[in-house]
Coordinates of all heavy atoms in Angstrom, one line a residue:
M1 N 23.5 9.2 14.4 CA 24.0 8.9 13.1 C 23.5 7.6 12.6 O 23.7 6.5 13.2 CB 25.5 9.0 13.0 CG 26.1 9.0 11.7 SD 27.8 9.6 11.8 CE 28.3 9.5 10.1
V2 N 22.9 7.5 11.5 CA 22.4 6.2 10.9 C 23.5 5.5 10.2 O 24.3 6.0 9.4 CB 21.3 6.6 9.9 CG1 20.7 5.3 9.3 CG2 20.2 7.4 10.5
P3 N 23.6 4.2 10.6 CA 24.7 3.3 9.9 C 24.5 3.2 8.5 O 23.4 3.2 8.0 CB 24.6 2.0 10.7 CG 23.7 2.2 11.9 CD 22.9 3.4 11.6
I4 N 25.6 3.0 7.8 CA 25.6 2.9 6.3 C 24.9 1.6 5.9 O 24.3 1.5 4.8 CB 26.9 3.0 5.7 CG1 26.9 3.2 4.2 CG2 27.8 1.8 6.0 CD1 28.2 3.6 3.6
S5 N 24.8 0.6 6.8 CA 24.2 -0.7 6.5 C 22.7 -0.5 6.3 O 22.1 -1.2 5.4 CB 24.5 -1.7 7.5 OG 23.9 -1.3 8.8
Y6 N 22.1 0.5 6.9 CA 20.6 0.7 6.8 C 20.4 1.2 5.3 O 19.5 0.8 4.7 CB 20.2 1.7 7.8 CG 20.1 1.2 9.2 CD1 19.7 2.0 10.2 CD2 20.4 -0.1 9.5 CE1 19.6 1.7 11.5 CE2 20.3 -0.5 10.8 CZ 19.9 0.3 11.8 OH 19.8 -0.1 13.1
Y7 N 21.3 2.2 4.9 CA 21.1 2.7 3.5 C 21.3 1.6 2.5 O 20.6 1.5 1.5 CB 22.1 3.9 3.3 CG 21.8 5.0 4.1 CD1 22.7 5.4 5.1 CD2 20.7 5.8 3.9 CE1 22.5 6.6 5.8 CE2 20.5 7.0 4.7 CZ 21.4 7.3 5.6 OH 21.1 8.4 6.4
L8 N 22.3 0.8 2.7 CA 22.6 -0.3 1.8 C 21.5 -1.3 1.7 O 21.1 -1.8 0.6 CB 24.0 -1.0 2.1 CG 25.2 -0.1 1.9 CD1 26.4 -0.9 2.4 CD2 25.3 0.4 0.6
T9 N 20.9 -1.7 2.9 CA 19.8 -2.6 2.9 C 18.6 -2.0 2.1 O 17.9 -2.7 1.3 CB 19.4 -2.9 4.4 OG1 20.6 -3.4 5.0 CG2 18.3 -3.9 4.4
L10 N 18.3 -0.7 2.4 CA 17.2 -0.1 1.7 C 17.4 -0.1 0.2 O 16.5 -0.3 -0.6 CB 17.0 1.3 2.2 CG 15.8 2.1 1.5 CD1 14.5 1.4 1.7 CD2 15.8 3.5 2.1
A11 N 18.6 0.3 -0.2 CA 19.0 0.3 -1.6 C 18.9 -1.1 -2.3 O 18.4 -1.2 -3.4 CB 20.4 0.9 -1.8
I12 N 19.3 -2.1 -1.6 CA 19.2 -3.4 -2.2 C 17.7 -3.8 -2.3 O 17.4 -4.4 -3.3 CB 20.0 -4.5 -1.2 CG1 21.5 -4.3 -1.4 CG2 19.6 -5.9 -1.6 CD1 22.3 -5.0 -0.4
I13 N 16.9 -3.5 -1.3 CA 15.5 -3.8 -1.4 C 14.9 -3.1 -2.5 O 14.1 -3.7 -3.4 CB 14.8 -3.5 0.0 CG1 15.3 -4.4 1.0 CG2 13.3 -3.5 -0.2 CD1 14.8 -4.1 2.4
M14 N 15.1 -1.8 -2.8 CA 14.6 -1.1 -3.8 C 15.1 -1.6 -5.2 O 14.3 -1.7 -6.1 CB 15.1 0.4 -3.7 CG 14.4 1.2 -2.6 SD 15.1 2.9 -2.3 CE 15.1 3.6 -4.0
F15 N 16.4 -2.0 -5.3 CA 16.9 -2.5 -6.5 C 16.2 -3.9 -6.9 O 15.9 -4.1 -8.0 CB 18.4 -2.7 -6.4 CG 19.0 -2.9 -7.8 CD1 19.3 -1.7 -8.5 CD2 19.4 -4.1 -8.2 CE1 19.9 -1.8 -9.8 CE2 20.0 -4.2 -9.5 CZ 20.3 -3.1 -10.2
V16 N 16.0 -4.7 -5.8 CA 15.4 -6.0 -6.1 C 13.9 -5.8 -6.6 O 13.4 -6.5 -7.4 CB 15.5 -6.9 -4.8 CG1 14.6 -8.1 -5.0 CG2 16.9 -7.4 -4.7
I17 N 13.2 -4.9 -5.9 CA 11.9 -4.6 -6.4 C 11.8 -4.1 -7.8 O 10.9 -4.5 -8.5 CB 11.2 -3.6 -5.4 CG1 10.9 -4.2 -4.0 CG2 9.9 -3.0 -6.0 CD1 10.5 -3.3 -2.9
G18 N 12.8 -3.3 -8.1 CA 12.9 -2.8 -9.5 C 13.2 -3.9 -10.5 O 12.6 -4.0 -11.6
I19 N 14.0 -4.8 -10.1 CA 14.3 -5.9 -11.0 C 13.1 -6.8 -11.2 O 12.8 -7.2 -12.3 CB 15.5 -6.8 -10.5 CG1 16.8 -6.1 -10.7 CG2 15.6 -8.2 -11.1 CD1 18.0 -6.7 -10.0
L20 N 12.4 -7.1 -10.1 CA 11.2 -7.9 -10.2 C 10.1 -7.2 -11.0 O 9.4 -7.9 -11.8 CB 10.6 -8.2 -8.8 CG 11.5 -9.1 -7.9 CD1 10.8 -9.2 -6.5 CD2 11.5 -10.5 -8.5
G21 N 10.1 -5.9 -11.0 CA 9.1 -5.1 -11.8 C 9.4 -5.2 -13.3 O 8.5 -5.3 -14.0
V22 N 10.7 -5.2 -13.6 CA 11.1 -5.3 -15.0 C 10.9 -6.7 -15.5 O 10.4 -6.9 -16.7 CB 12.6 -4.8 -15.1 CG1 13.1 -5.2 -16.5 CG2 12.8 -3.4 -14.9
L23 N 11.2 -7.7 -14.7 CA 11.1 -9.0 -15.2 C 9.6 -9.6 -15.2 O 9.3 -10.5 -16.0 CB 12.0 -10.0 -14.4 CG 13.4 -9.7 -14.5 CD1 14.3 -10.6 -13.5 CD2 13.9 -9.9 -15.9
I24 N 8.8 -9.2 -14.3 CA 7.5 -9.8 -14.1 C 6.4 -9.1 -14.8 O 5.5 -9.7 -15.5 CB 7.1 -10.0 -12.6 CG1 8.1 -11.0 -12.0 CG2 5.7 -10.4 -12.4 CD1 8.0 -11.1 -10.5
R25 N 6.4 -7.8 -14.7 CA 5.3 -7.0 -15.3 C 5.4 -6.8 -16.7 O 6.5 -6.8 -17.3 CB 5.2 -5.6 -14.6 CG 5.0 -5.6 -13.1 CD 3.7 -6.4 -12.7 NE 2.6 -5.7 -13.2 CZ 1.7 -5.1 -12.5 NH1 1.8 -5.0 -11.2 NH2 0.6 -4.5 -13.1
R26 N 4.3 -6.7 -17.4 CA 4.2 -6.6 -18.9 C 3.8 -5.2 -19.3 O 3.8 -4.8 -20.5 CB 3.2 -7.5 -19.4 CG 3.6 -9.0 -19.3 CD 4.8 -9.3 -20.1 NE 5.9 -9.7 -19.3 CZ 7.1 -9.5 -19.5 NH1 7.5 -8.9 -20.6 NH2 8.0 -9.9 -18.7
N27 N 3.3 -4.3 -18.4 CA 3.0 -3.0 -18.8 C 4.2 -2.1 -18.9 O 5.1 -2.1 -18.0 CB 2.0 -2.4 -17.7 CG 1.4 -1.1 -18.1 OD1 1.8 -0.5 -19.1 ND2 0.4 -0.7 -17.3
A28 N 4.3 -1.3 -20.0 CA 5.5 -0.6 -20.2 C 5.7 0.5 -19.2 O 6.8 0.8 -18.8 CB 5.5 0.0 -21.6
L29 N 4.7 1.1 -18.7 CA 4.8 2.1 -17.7 C 5.3 1.6 -16.4 O 6.1 2.3 -15.7 CB 3.4 2.8 -17.4 CG 3.0 3.8 -18.6 CD1 1.6 4.3 -18.3 CD2 3.9 4.9 -18.7
V30 N 4.9 0.4 -16.0 CA 5.4 -0.2 -14.8 C 6.8 -0.6 -14.9 O 7.6 -0.5 -14.0 CB 4.5 -1.5 -14.4 CG1 5.1 -2.2 -13.2 CG2 3.1 -1.0 -14.1
V31 N 7.2 -1.1 -16.1 CA 8.6 -1.5 -16.4 C 9.5 -0.1 -16.3 O 10.6 -0.1 -15.8 CB 8.8 -2.1 -17.8 CG1 10.2 -2.3 -18.2 CG2 8.0 -3.5 -17.8
F32 N 8.9 0.9 -16.9 CA 9.6 2.2 -16.9 C 9.8 2.7 -15.4 O 10.9 3.2 -15.1 CB 8.8 3.2 -17.7 CG 9.5 4.4 -18.1 CD1 10.6 4.3 -18.9 CD2 9.0 5.6 -17.7 CE1 11.3 5.4 -19.3 CE2 9.7 6.8 -18.1 CZ 10.8 6.7 -18.9
M33 N 8.8 2.6 -14.6 CA 8.9 3.0 -13.2 C 9.9 2.1 -12.4 O 10.6 2.6 -11.5 CB 7.5 3.0 -12.5 CG 6.6 4.1 -13.0 SD 5.1 4.3 -12.0 CE 4.3 2.7 -12.3
S34 N 9.9 0.8 -12.8 CA 10.8 -0.1 -12.1 C 12.3 0.3 -12.5 O 13.1 0.2 -11.6 CB 10.6 -1.5 -12.5 OG 9.3 -1.9 -12.1
L35 N 12.5 0.7 -13.7 CA 13.9 1.1 -14.1 C 14.3 2.4 -13.3 O 15.4 2.5 -12.8 CB 13.9 1.4 -15.6 CG 14.0 0.2 -16.5 CD1 13.8 0.7 -17.9 CD2 15.2 -0.6 -16.3
E36 N 13.3 3.3 -13.1 CA 13.6 4.4 -12.3 C 13.8 4.1 -10.9 O 14.7 4.8 -10.2 CB 12.4 5.5 -12.4 CG 12.3 6.1 -13.8 CD 13.4 6.9 -14.3 OE1 14.0 7.6 -13.4 OE2 13.7 6.9 -15.4
L37 N 13.2 3.1 -10.3 CA 13.4 2.7 -9.0 C 14.8 2.2 -8.8 O 15.5 2.4 -7.8 CB 12.4 1.6 -8.6 CG 12.4 1.2 -7.1 CD1 12.0 2.4 -6.2 CD2 11.4 0.1 -6.9
M38 N 15.3 1.4 -9.8 CA 16.6 0.9 -9.8 C 17.7 2.0 -9.9 O 18.8 2.0 -9.2 CB 16.8 -0.1 -10.9 CG 16.1 -1.4 -10.8 SD 15.9 -2.6 -12.1 CE 17.3 -2.4 -13.1
F39 N 17.4 3.1 -10.7 CA 18.3 4.2 -10.7 C 18.4 4.9 -9.3 O 19.4 5.3 -8.9 CB 17.8 5.3 -11.7 CG 18.1 4.9 -13.2 CD1 17.2 5.3 -14.2 CD2 19.3 4.3 -13.5 CE1 17.5 5.0 -15.5 CE2 19.6 4.0 -14.8 CZ 18.7 4.4 -15.8
N40 N 17.2 5.0 -8.7 CA 17.2 5.7 -7.4 C 17.9 4.9 -6.3 O 18.5 5.4 -5.4 CB 15.7 6.0 -6.9 CG 15.2 7.1 -7.7 OD1 15.9 8.0 -8.1 ND2 13.9 7.1 -7.9
A41 N 17.9 3.5 -6.5 CA 18.6 2.7 -5.5 C 20.1 2.9 -5.7 O 20.9 3.0 -4.7 CB 18.3 1.2 -5.8
A42 N 20.6 3.0 -6.9 CA 22.0 3.3 -7.2 C 22.3 4.7 -6.6 O 23.5 4.9 -6.1 CB 22.3 3.2 -8.7
N43 N 21.5 5.6 -6.9 CA 21.8 7.0 -6.3 C 21.8 7.0 -4.8 O 22.7 7.7 -4.2 CB 20.6 8.0 -6.8 CG 20.7 8.4 -8.2 OD1 21.8 8.2 -8.8 ND2 19.6 8.8 -8.7
L44 N 21.0 6.2 -4.2 CA 21.1 6.1 -2.7 C 22.4 5.5 -2.2 O 23.0 6.0 -1.2 CB 19.9 5.3 -2.2 CG 19.9 5.1 -0.7 CD1 19.7 6.4 0.0 CD2 18.8 4.1 -0.3
I45 N 22.9 4.6 -2.9 CA 24.2 4.0 -2.6 C 25.4 5.1 -2.8 O 26.3 5.2 -2.0 CB 24.5 2.7 -3.4 CG1 23.6 1.6 -2.9 CG2 26.0 2.3 -3.2 CD1 23.6 0.4 -3.7
F46 N 25.3 5.8 -3.9 CA 26.3 6.8 -4.2 C 26.3 7.9 -3.0 O 27.3 8.3 -2.6 CB 26.0 7.6 -5.4 CG 26.4 6.8 -6.7 CD1 25.6 6.9 -7.9 CD2 27.7 6.2 -6.7 CE1 26.0 6.2 -9.0 CE2 28.0 5.5 -7.9 CZ 27.2 5.6 -9.0
V47 N 25.1 8.3 -2.6 CA 25.0 9.3 -1.6 C 25.4 8.8 -0.3 O 26.1 9.4 0.5 CB 23.6 9.9 -1.5 CG1 23.4 10.8 -0.3 CG2 23.3 10.7 -2.8
A48 N 25.1 7.5 0.0 CA 25.5 6.9 1.3 C 27.0 6.8 1.5 O 27.6 7.1 2.5 CB 24.9 5.5 1.5
F49 N 27.7 6.4 0.4 CA 29.2 6.2 0.5 C 29.8 7.6 0.4 O 30.8 7.8 1.0 CB 29.7 5.4 -0.7 CG 29.5 3.9 -0.4 CD1 28.7 3.1 -1.1 CD2 30.3 3.3 0.7 CE1 28.6 1.7 -0.8 CE2 30.2 2.0 1.0 CZ 29.3 1.2 0.2
S50 N 29.2 8.5 -0.3 CA 29.7 9.9 -0.3 C 29.7 10.5 1.1 O 30.6 11.2 1.6 CB 28.9 10.7 -1.3 OG 29.3 12.1 -1.2
R51 N 28.6 10.2 1.8 CA 28.4 10.7 3.2 C 29.4 10.0 4.1 O 30.0 10.6 5.0 CB 27.1 10.6 3.7 CG 26.8 11.1 5.0 CD 25.4 11.0 5.5 NE 25.3 11.0 6.9 CZ 24.8 10.0 7.6 NH1 24.2 9.0 7.0 NH2 24.7 10.0 8.9
Q52 N 29.6 8.7 3.9 CA 30.5 7.9 4.8 C 31.9 8.3 4.6 O 32.6 8.5 5.7 CB 30.4 6.4 4.3 CG 31.3 5.4 5.1 CD 30.8 5.2 6.5 OE1 29.6 5.4 6.9 NE2 31.8 4.8 7.4
Y53 N 32.4 8.7 3.5 CA 33.8 9.1 3.3 C 34.0 10.5 3.1 O 35.1 11.0 2.8 CB 34.3 8.3 2.0 CG 34.4 6.9 2.2 CD1 33.6 6.0 1.4 CD2 35.2 6.2 3.1 CE1 33.6 4.6 1.5 CE2 35.2 4.9 3.3 CZ 34.5 4.1 2.5 OH 34.5 2.7 2.6
Q54 N 32.9 11.3 3.4 CA 33.0 12.8 3.5 C 33.6 13.4 2.2 O 34.5 14.3 2.2 CB 33.8 13.2 4.7 CG 33.3 12.8 6.0 CD 31.9 13.4 6.3 OE1 31.8 14.6 6.0 NE2 31.0 12.6 6.8
T55 N 33.1 12.9 1.0 CA 33.6 13.5 -0.3 C 32.3 13.9 -1.1 O 31.2 13.5 -0.7 CB 34.3 12.4 -1.1 OG1 33.5 11.3 -1.4 CG2 35.6 12.0 -0.4
L56 N 32.4 14.6 -2.1 CA 31.4 15.1 -2.9 C 31.3 14.3 -4.2 O 30.4 14.5 -5.0 CB 31.5 16.6 -3.2 CG 31.3 17.5 -2.1 CD1 31.5 19.0 -2.5 CD2 29.9 17.4 -1.5
N57 N 32.2 13.3 -4.4 CA 32.2 12.6 -5.7 C 30.9 11.8 -5.9 O 30.4 11.8 -7.0 CB 33.4 11.6 -5.7 CG 34.7 12.3 -5.7 OD1 34.8 13.5 -6.1 ND2 35.7 11.7 -5.3
G58 N 30.4 11.2 -4.9 CA 29.1 10.5 -5.0 C 27.9 11.4 -5.3 O 27.0 11.0 -6.1
Q59 N 27.9 12.5 -4.7 CA 26.8 13.5 -4.9 C 26.8 14.0 -6.3 O 25.9 14.3 -7.0 CB 26.8 14.5 -3.9 CG 26.5 14.0 -2.5 CD 26.6 15.0 -1.4 OE1 26.8 16.1 -1.6 NE2 26.4 14.4 -0.1
I60 N 28.1 14.3 -6.8 CA 28.2 14.8 -8.2 C 27.8 13.7 -9.2 O 27.1 13.9 -10.2 CB 29.7 15.2 -8.5 CG1 30.0 16.4 -7.6 CG2 30.0 15.4 -9.9 CD1 31.5 16.8 -7.6
S61 N 28.1 12.4 -8.9 CA 27.6 11.3 -9.8 C 26.1 11.2 -9.7 O 25.5 11.0 -10.8 CB 28.2 10.0 -9.3 OG 29.6 10.0 -9.3
V62 N 25.5 11.4 -8.6 CA 24.0 11.4 -8.5 C 23.4 12.5 -9.4 O 22.4 12.3 -10.0 CB 23.5 11.5 -7.1 CG1 22.1 11.8 -6.9 CG2 23.9 10.3 -6.3
F63 N 24.1 13.7 -9.4 CA 23.6 14.8 -10.2 C 23.6 14.4 -11.7 O 22.5 14.6 -12.4 CB 24.4 16.0 -10.0 CG 24.1 17.2 -10.9 CD1 22.9 17.9 -10.7 CD2 24.9 17.5 -12.0 CE1 22.6 18.9 -11.5 CE2 24.5 18.5 -12.8 CZ 23.4 19.2 -12.6
F64 N 24.6 13.7 -12.1 CA 24.7 13.3 -13.5 C 23.7 12.2 -13.8 O 23.0 12.1 -14.9 CB 26.1 12.9 -13.9 CG 27.0 14.1 -14.1 CD1 28.1 14.3 -13.3 CD2 26.7 15.1 -15.0 CE1 29.0 15.3 -13.4 CE2 27.6 16.1 -15.2 CZ 28.6 16.3 -14.4
V65 N 23.5 11.2 -12.9 CA 22.6 10.1 -13.1 C 21.2 10.6 -13.1 O 20.4 10.2 -14.0 CB 22.7 9.1 -12.0 CG1 21.6 8.1 -12.0 CG2 24.1 8.4 -12.1
M66 N 20.8 11.6 -12.3 CA 19.5 12.2 -12.3 C 19.2 13.0 -13.5 O 18.1 12.9 -14.1 CB 19.3 13.1 -11.1 CG 19.2 12.3 -9.8 SD 18.9 13.3 -8.4 CE 17.2 13.7 -8.6
S67 N 20.2 13.7 -14.1 CA 20.0 14.4 -15.4 C 19.8 13.4 -16.5 O 18.9 13.7 -17.4 CB 21.2 15.4 -15.6 OG 22.4 14.7 -15.7
V68 N 20.6 12.3 -16.6 CA 20.4 11.3 -17.6 C 19.0 10.7 -17.5 O 18.3 10.4 -18.4 CB 21.5 10.3 -17.6 CG1 21.2 9.1 -18.5 CG2 22.8 11.0 -18.0
A69 N 18.6 10.4 -16.2 CA 17.3 9.8 -16.0 C 16.2 10.7 -16.4 O 15.1 10.3 -16.9 CB 17.1 9.4 -14.5
A70 N 16.3 12.0 -16.2 CA 15.3 13.0 -16.7 C 15.2 12.9 -18.2 O 14.1 13.1 -18.7 CB 15.7 14.4 -16.1
A71 N 16.3 12.9 -18.9 CA 16.3 12.8 -20.3 C 15.7 11.5 -20.8 O 14.9 11.5 -21.8 CB 17.7 13.0 -20.9
E72 N 15.9 10.5 -20.0 CA 15.4 9.2 -20.4 C 13.9 9.2 -20.2 O 13.1 8.6 -21.0 CB 16.0 8.1 -19.5 CG 15.4 6.7 -19.7 CD 15.1 6.0 -18.5 OE1 15.5 6.5 -17.4 OE2 14.5 4.9 -18.6
V73 N 13.4 9.9 -19.1 CA 12.0 9.9 -19.0 C 11.3 10.7 -20.1 O 10.2 10.2 -20.6 CB 11.7 10.6 -17.6 CG1 10.2 11.1 -17.5 CG2 12.0 9.7 -16.4
A74 N 11.9 11.7 -20.5 CA 11.3 12.5 -21.6 C 11.2 11.7 -22.9 O 10.2 11.6 -23.6 CB 12.1 13.8 -21.9
V75 N 12.3 11.0 -23.3 CA 12.4 10.3 -24.5 C 11.4 9.0 -24.4 O 10.7 8.6 -25.3 CB 13.8 9.8 -24.8 CG1 13.8 8.9 -26.0 CG2 14.6 11.1 -25.2
G76 N 11.5 8.3 -23.2 CA 10.7 7.1 -23.0 C 9.2 7.4 -23.0 O 8.5 6.6 -23.6
L77 N 8.8 8.4 -22.4 CA 7.4 8.7 -22.3 C 6.9 9.2 -23.8 O 5.8 8.8 -24.2 CB 7.1 9.8 -21.4 CG 7.1 9.4 -19.9 CD1 6.8 10.5 -19.0 CD2 6.1 8.3 -19.7
A78 N 7.7 9.9 -24.5 CA 7.4 10.2 -25.9 C 7.3 9.0 -26.7 O 6.3 8.9 -27.6 CB 8.4 11.2 -26.4
L79 N 8.1 8.0 -26.6 CA 8.1 6.8 -27.3 C 6.8 6.0 -26.9 O 6.1 5.4 -27.8 CB 9.3 5.9 -27.1 CG 10.5 6.3 -27.8 CD1 11.7 5.6 -27.3 CD2 10.4 6.2 -29.3
M80 N 6.5 6.0 -25.6 CA 5.3 5.3 -25.2 C 4.0 5.9 -25.8 O 3.1 5.2 -26.2 CB 5.2 5.2 -23.7 CG 6.1 4.2 -23.1 SD 5.8 4.1 -21.3 CE 7.5 3.9 -20.8
V81 N 3.9 7.2 -25.8 CA 2.8 7.9 -26.4 C 2.7 7.6 -27.9 O 1.6 7.3 -28.4 CB 2.9 9.4 -26.2 CG1 1.8 10.2 -27.0 CG2 2.6 9.7 -24.7
A82 N 3.8 7.6 -28.6 CA 3.8 7.3 -30.0 C 3.3 5.8 -30.3 O 2.6 5.5 -31.2 CB 5.1 7.5 -30.7
I83 N 3.9 4.9 -29.5 CA 3.5 3.4 -29.6 C 2.0 3.3 -29.3 O 1.3 2.6 -30.0 CB 4.3 2.6 -28.7 CG1 5.7 2.6 -29.3 CG2 3.8 1.2 -28.6 CD1 6.8 1.9 -28.4
F84 N 1.5 4.0 -28.3 CA 0.1 3.9 -27.9 C -0.8 4.4 -29.0 O -1.9 3.9 -29.3 CB -0.2 4.6 -26.6 CG -1.7 4.5 -26.2 CD1 -2.0 3.3 -25.6 CD2 -2.5 5.5 -26.3 CE1 -3.4 3.1 -25.2 CE2 -3.8 5.4 -25.9 CZ -4.2 4.2 -25.4
R85 N -0.4 5.4 -29.7 CA -1.2 6.0 -30.8 C -1.3 5.1 -32.0 O -2.3 5.0 -32.6 CB -0.6 7.3 -31.3 CG -0.9 8.5 -30.3 CD -0.4 9.8 -30.9 NE -0.6 10.9 -29.9 CZ -0.1 12.0 -30.0 NH1 0.7 12.4 -31.0 NH2 -0.4 12.9 -29.1
T86 N -0.3 4.3 -32.2 CA -0.3 3.4 -33.4 C -0.9 2.0 -33.0 O -1.7 1.5 -33.8 CB 1.0 3.2 -34.0 OG1 1.9 2.6 -32.9 CG2 1.6 4.4 -34.5
K87 N -0.6 1.4 -31.9 CA -1.0 0.1 -31.5 C -2.2 0.0 -30.6 O -2.8 -1.0 -30.3 CB 0.1 -0.7 -30.9 CG 1.3 -0.9 -31.9 CD 2.2 -2.0 -31.4 CE 3.3 -2.1 -32.4 NZ 3.1 -3.2 -33.3
H88 N -2.5 1.2 -30.0 CA -3.6 1.3 -28.9 C -3.4 0.4 -27.7 O -4.3 0.0 -27.1 CB -5.0 1.0 -29.6 CG -5.3 1.9 -30.7 ND1 -5.5 3.3 -30.5 CD2 -5.3 1.7 -32.1 CE1 -5.7 3.9 -31.7 NE2 -5.6 2.9 -32.6
S89 N -2.1 0.1 -27.4 CA -1.7 -0.6 -26.2 C -0.3 -0.4 -26.0 O 0.5 -0.1 -26.9 CB -2.0 -2.2 -26.5 OG -1.5 -2.9 -25.4
I90 N 0.1 -0.5 -24.7 CA 1.5 -0.4 -24.4 C 1.9 -1.7 -23.6 O 2.9 -1.7 -22.8 CB 1.8 0.8 -23.5 CG1 0.9 0.9 -22.3 CG2 1.7 2.1 -24.3 CD1 1.3 2.0 -21.3
D91 N 1.3 -2.8 -24.0 CA 1.7 -4.1 -23.5 C 3.1 -4.5 -24.1 O 3.2 -4.5 -25.4 CB 0.7 -5.1 -23.8 CG 0.9 -6.4 -23.0 OD1 1.7 -6.4 -22.1 OD2 0.3 -7.4 -23.4
V92 N 4.0 -4.9 -23.3 CA 5.3 -5.2 -23.8 C 5.3 -6.4 -24.7 O 6.1 -6.5 -25.6 CB 6.3 -5.4 -22.6 CG1 7.7 -5.9 -23.0 CG2 6.4 -4.1 -21.7
D93 N 4.4 -7.4 -24.4 CA 4.4 -8.6 -25.2 C 3.9 -8.3 -26.7 O 4.3 -9.0 -27.6 CB 3.5 -9.7 -24.6 CG 4.1 -10.2 -23.4 OD1 5.3 -10.3 -23.2 OD2 3.3 -10.7 -22.5
Q94 N 3.2 -7.3 -26.8 CA 2.6 -7.0 -28.2 C 3.6 -6.2 -29.0 O 3.4 -5.9 -30.2 CB 1.3 -6.2 -28.0 CG 0.2 -7.1 -27.5 CD -1.1 -6.3 -27.3 OE1 -1.1 -5.1 -27.6 NE2 -2.1 -7.0 -26.8
M95 N 4.7 -5.6 -28.4 CA 5.6 -4.8 -29.1 C 6.8 -5.7 -29.7 O 7.9 -5.7 -29.1 CB 6.2 -3.8 -28.2 CG 5.2 -2.7 -27.8 SD 5.9 -1.5 -26.7 CE 4.6 -1.2 -25.6
N96 N 6.6 -6.4 -30.7 CA 7.5 -7.3 -31.2 C 8.1 -6.8 -32.6 O 9.0 -7.5 -33.1 CB 7.0 -8.8 -31.4 CG 5.8 -8.8 -32.2 OD1 5.3 -7.8 -32.8 ND2 5.2 -10.0 -32.3
S97 N 7.6 -5.7 -33.1 CA 8.1 -5.2 -34.3 C 8.2 -3.7 -34.3 O 7.5 -3.1 -33.5 CB 7.3 -5.7 -35.6 OG 6.1 -5.1 -35.5
L98 N 9.1 -3.1 -35.2 CA 9.1 -1.7 -35.2 C 8.3 -1.1 -36.3 O 8.3 0.1 -36.5 CB 10.6 -1.3 -35.4 CG 11.6 -1.6 -34.3 CD1 13.0 -1.3 -34.6 CD2 11.2 -0.9 -33.0
K99 N 7.4 -1.9 -36.9 CA 6.6 -1.4 -37.9 C 5.4 -0.6 -37.3 O 5.0 -0.9 -36.2 CB 6.0 -2.6 -38.8 CG 7.0 -3.3 -39.5 CD 6.3 -4.4 -40.3 CE 7.3 -5.2 -41.1 NZ 6.6 -6.4 -41.8
G100 N 4.9 0.4 -38.0 CA 3.8 1.3 -37.5 C 2.5 0.7 -37.6 O 2.1 -0.3 -38.0

């Protein structure tokens, strides 16, 4: 049986990598993937504690987080495609206005 500290360590590493990706990178797709990495780190913690305490509450929460993340992916990618069509770039620094 794997100790819960291994799961927590992996989740913390994943979350920190996600935070660094959001703060350092300027490409919108990389920022988007970093946000998804942070969601997955939170999901890993939910599942680890759910397994530790033998309840299904954490796994049910993961189901809802994954469904919201799937909707976010659909909307986020659609926005990125629309922005790329108008500005011909998805650089975060160049997106300073909502004008077309």
Side-chain angles (χ1 to χ4, degrees):
M1 189 165 178
V2 179
I4 195 168
S5 62
Y6 291 176
Y7 293 114
L8 295 177
T9 304
L10 178 62
I12 289 169
I13 291 169
M14 287 171 54
F15 197 81
V16 167
I17 291 171
I19 287 176
L20 290 175
V22 168
L23 295 177
I24 294 174
R25 299 303 299 248
R26 294 293 117 208
N27 188 347
L29 288 174
V30 175
V31 171
F32 197 59
M33 287 189 301
S34 298
L35 287 171
E36 293 298 323
L37 189 63
M38 290 170 28
F39 283 144
N40 287 329
N43 286 341
L44 180 61
I45 290 175
F46 280 141
V47 170
F49 279 112
S50 176
R51 184 175 153 240
Q52 177 73 22
Y53 295 116
Q54 300 295 319
T55 64
L56 291 177
N57 295 338
Q59 294 175 3
I60 292 170
S61 298
V62 167
F63 175 74
F64 286 117
V65 169
M66 288 179 76
S67 62
V68 168
E72 178 225 352
V73 166
V75 171
L77 287 177
L79 285 172
M80 282 187 220
V81 168
I83 290 170
F84 182 76
R85 284 184 181 170
T86 59
K87 298 200 179 259
H88 302 290
S89 173
I90 53 172
D91 190 15
V92 177
D93 289 334
Q94 294 177 356
M95 294 181 218
N96 57 4
S97 68
L98 294 176
K99 293 180 184 177

